[in-house]
Amino acid sequence: MSALSGRFLLCLPLAAGTLSMRCSHQLATMRHASLLPEKKRQRLLFPFSELEAHLSRQIDRAKFELFQPTVEDLRQAEKLFTPSPKHHIMYSSSAVRTDHLPELTQPEVCFIGRSNVGKSSLIRALFSLAPEVEVRVSKTPGHTRKLNFFTVGRAFTLVDMPGYGHRAPGDFVDMVEPYLQQRHNLVRTFLLVDGGAGLQKLDLVAVEMCEEFGIPYVLVVTKIDRTRQGALLALLLQLQDFIKDQTSTCFAQPFLVSSVQYSGIHLLRCFIAHVTGNQQLDSKTT
């Protein structure tokens, strides 16, 4: 590793009793993000700001910034994703059928998307401040075969859903539909869209499922570090029109994230903290 790349790594110990270390990108923390020059910090925390300058003056920018917390709000949300002796963040359990689901009462959020959309990588980035949490990331699409539950203290539970599409589990529908339809403590579903591929037919099926069940959900655009700005802006405008014209339970603002550069990770953490009832904000959100 070069000295330059080493500057941006923060090594944290794994679970007690082991000597191994996991290296976490320093930009996963607000403390290190605050050291960046203003423009770079703004792009990291609010990725839309990098695209805003390319928007036509006739386009209303407010609809892209419905959820716009303060930097202090982001710092407060980070505490929720930071473990402590009284606040344990851990993998809890897995399930393949509804009768295997853990009986949890705290608010729940789930992440769903096509195989290879970057779902596990995103969850790992969200939990990067909790190095003892093992979120397995594979180069092989369809690695997640079960519903995996991660508990964040008593605050909320995050569920990693199996990917749909290529190499999806044969009983995918039997696992996912009952969970989405019957899980009473599910407060928000995060539907991931590949920034380079855009909305695919199978994504539209997932959207229809959320709409049919009346589930509040959010579109999250992944891999923005691999997507040209022009293509990303075009996708963002397309998603805005799609949400407005063809959905009823989707949050009006898509979120942009990069699990590699940590762009948008702090903002998404804050949104999760808010919708699970763990952080009150002045920002307008639903």
Side-chain angles (χ1 to χ4, degrees):
M1 183 189 308
S2 68
L4 180 61
S5 60
R7 288 180 57 202
F8 297 100
L9 293 178
L10 174 66
C11 289
L12 300 169
L14 286 173
T18 70
L19 296 178
S20 57
M21 307 283 283
R22 175 187 293 176
C23 290
S24 176
H25 205 291
Q26 284 190 350
L27 296 185
T29 71
M30 286 296 297
R31 182 167 65 90
H32 287 89
S34 65
L35 301 178
L36 293 172
E38 183 177 354
K39 287 186 178 180
K40 289 185 177 180
R41 181 174 66 248
Q42 190 73 4
R43 289 199 300 266
L44 174 74
L45 302 180
F46 305 101
F48 171 70
S49 64
E50 190 170 17
L51 304 176
E52 188 174 7
H54 304 287
L55 278 178
S56 167
R57 293 183 179 179
Q58 285 71 40
I59 296 179
D60 180 13
R61 286 156 171 75
K63 63 182 180 180
F64 295 95
E65 300 173 326
L66 295 175
F67 185 76
Q68 194 74 358
T70 65
V71 171
E72 181 57 33
D73 290 331
L74 300 185
R75 289 196 182 96
Q76 291 301 316
E78 183 176 286
K79 295 179 181 179
L80 192 65
F81 287 83
T82 305
S84 69
K86 294 184 178 181
H87 181 68
H88 299 285
I89 301 175
M90 65 184 72
Y91 161 79
S92 173
S93 61
S94 297
V96 294
R97 298 199 309 266
T98 52
D99 55 347
H100 292 168
L101 296 178
E103 295 183 3
L104 301 170
T105 57
Q106 61 260 43
E108 207 157 90
V109 296
C110 73
F111 284 67
I112 189 170
R114 287 190 304 114
S115 300
N116 206 32
V117 74
K119 178 167 49 63
S120 296
S121 295
L122 174 56
I123 294 173
R124 172 180 271 187
L126 289 169
F127 285 149
S128 58
L129 304 179
E132 68 277 8
V133 177
E134 289 291 340
V135 182
R136 297 183 63 188
V137 177
S138 173
K139 294 182 180 179
T140 304
H143 178 75
T144 305
R145 315 294 290 181
K146 303 176 181 180
L147 284 74
N148 296 316
F149 291 76
F150 299 87
T151 54
V152 181
R154 298 180 180 179
F156 69 92
T157 303
L158 186 150
V159 186
D160 184 6
M161 309 284 278
Y164 51 80
H166 180 60
R167 294 178 60 88
D171 54 352
F172 174 84
V173 173
D174 294 335
M175 276 196 287
V176 172
E177 276 200 4
Y179 168 82
L180 292 176
Q181 194 170 18
Q182 301 171 17
R183 196 70 168 174
H184 298 301
N185 56 330
L186 178 64
V187 296
R188 197 69 52 130
T189 295
F190 292 85
L191 176 54
L192 276 52
V193 177
D194 190 313
L199 276 173
Q200 302 292 296
K201 289 183 179 179
L202 287 173
D203 296 326
L204 297 178
V205 173
V207 166
E208 290 176 5
M209 185 166 54
C210 292
E211 291 286 331
E212 179 183 351
F213 299 151
I215 298 171
Y217 64 103
V218 184
L219 297 182
V220 180
V221 180
T222 63
K223 304 181 183 179
I224 63 172
D225 54 291
R226 300 184 185 180
T227 311
R228 291 182 297 105
Q229 284 192 8
L232 189 58
L233 183 57
L235 174 59
L236 192 59
L237 293 171
Q238 175 194 355
L239 291 178
Q240 283 284 355
D241 291 339
F242 174 79
I243 293 171
K244 178 183 177 181
D245 299 334
Q246 301 187 46
T247 73
S248 60
T249 59
C250 184
F251 185 58
Q253 174 187 328
F255 285 78
L256 305 172
V257 296
S258 166
S259 302
V260 176
Q261 299 177 345
Y262 282 81
S263 301
I265 296 298
H266 305 82
L267 185 64
L268 191 58
R269 283 177 182 157
C270 193
F271 187 76
I272 293 171
H274 181 67
V275 297
T276 55
N278 290 286
Q279 188 174 11
Q280 299 300 315
L281 307 174
D282 292 331
S283 307
K284 293 184 293 182
T285 182
T286 58

